[in-house]
Amino acid sequence: MADRLRALFKGEALTYAYLLLYIALSSGQIFFNKWVLSSKEINFPYPLGLTLLHMVFSSVLCFLLTKVFKIMKIEEGMTVEIYVSSVMPIGAMFAMTLWLGNTAYMYISVAFAQMLKAIMPVAVFILGVAAGLEVMSCRMLLIMSVISLGVLVASYGEINISWIGVVYQMGGVVGEALRLIFMEIFVKRKGLKLNPISLMYYVSPCSALCLLIPWIFLEKTKMEENSSWNFPLLVLTLNSLCTFALNLSVFLVITHTSALTIRVAGVVKDWVVVLLSALLFADTKLTIINLAGYGIAIAGVAAYNNHKLKKEVSRDNPEEAESSQPTLTAASSDSNK
């Protein structure tokens, strides 16, 4: 009995350790990118170049880990047809998300960027309905309305709002939503499941290529003409390594818990980022309206996660879900399904 309790405690402690690692790496990477891009700090004001560096670094590291040192194994089953029809769109949307998201940090505060990210479930749901992966319902319409209202209130309370930054951030949100939709189609219709190392092995080179083309036209000439920016090799290497470590931490959390758990951990991370950014950056001025709106949005996100959890339970245990349907229905009026 004692051994079982010790094993249970060790397993739970390890899970919480992975969750804390993910929250720390995810929050730290956001601040790290802001620090590198800021003209007042490292002064590397090229978000497209920074994102391209991340993808090239990830591609090289995945190749070394899987093909040279053979520490990790690439899962089989990838074909040219699957790569062209599924992996390339995922890589393109991943590149778009990172590029636009990093660019937004040059115009808006980290805290406000996180508040705008709360609209993600709305974008995913709308695109999911369009793709036939989601079904419109009154309950989901209410949840999406709550999230949208919260983001609008938070935006109204922003003191130093930059609409250029808002457009970049919302573009990143749309890119991430499309990436998630493509991922779901990839798994459901192609029937191929890849671990994160395999996924990054295939996606990173594609994302790097998608970033290289706009970088040549948008930033290459500026970087050559402007001699005032810094390129501290050690800092940028550590920044790229942190990005790669963040992807691995996502894998560890999902492996030991579930995709829903990491979404909940993401909500905690967002609050940590919002509050810490107010302490670390001078451009962050939080107002009561900001926090109230973000609180409303997070309540909607929590309801959305609850809805997804019930869908997963119903799909994985149809008999149990059917037997408990009266309970779920009775509770649905208060549980934001």
Side-chain angles (χ1 to χ4, degrees), residues 60-73:
V60 172
L61 195 54
C62 284
F63 180 80
L64 291 175
L65 290 174
T66 57
K67 298 300 182 181
V68 178
F69 300 109
K70 300 185 185 299
I71 298 175
M72 299 178 178
K73 184 180 178 181

Side-chain angles (χ1 to χ4, degrees), residues 48 52 99 209-225:
L48 188 50
L52 174 60
W99 167 24
L209 181 60
C210 292
L211 291 165
L212 177 62
I213 297 173
W215 175 78
I216 292 174
F217 291 100
L218 297 178
E219 288 188 356
K220 182 175 181 294
T221 304
K222 293 180 181 179
M223 293 179 70
E224 291 173 345
E225 294 176 350

Side-chain angles (χ1 to χ4, degrees), residues 122-136:
V122 177
V124 172
F125 180 72
I126 292 174
L127 292 171
V129 171
L133 300 174
E134 298 280 358
V135 179
M136 181 63 73

Side-chain angles (χ1 to χ4, degrees), residues 122 139-150 152 296:
V122 177
R139 191 176 303 279
M140 284 304 297
L141 187 61
L142 176 61
I143 291 174
M144 297 302 109
S145 298
V146 170
I147 297 175
S148 300
L149 174 63
L152 285 174
I296 293 171

Side-chain angles (χ1 to χ4, degrees), residues 141-197:
L141 187 61
L142 176 61
I143 291 174
M144 297 302 109
S145 298
V146 170
I147 297 175
S148 300
L149 174 63
V151 172
L152 285 174
V153 172
S155 301
Y156 179 78
E158 181 67 11
I159 297 175
N160 300 315
I161 190 168
S162 168
W163 291 109
I164 297 177
V166 171
V167 170
Y168 274 121
Q169 184 64 16
M170 296 310 293
V173 167
V174 172
E176 177 65 5
L178 285 171
R179 185 184 74 87
L180 294 174
I181 293 297
F182 286 141
M183 285 285 291
E184 190 166 353
I185 293 174
F186 178 50
V187 171
K188 283 187 175 180
R189 298 182 183 175
K190 304 296 181 180
L192 183 63
K193 294 184 178 181
L194 302 174
N195 63 43
I197 285 293

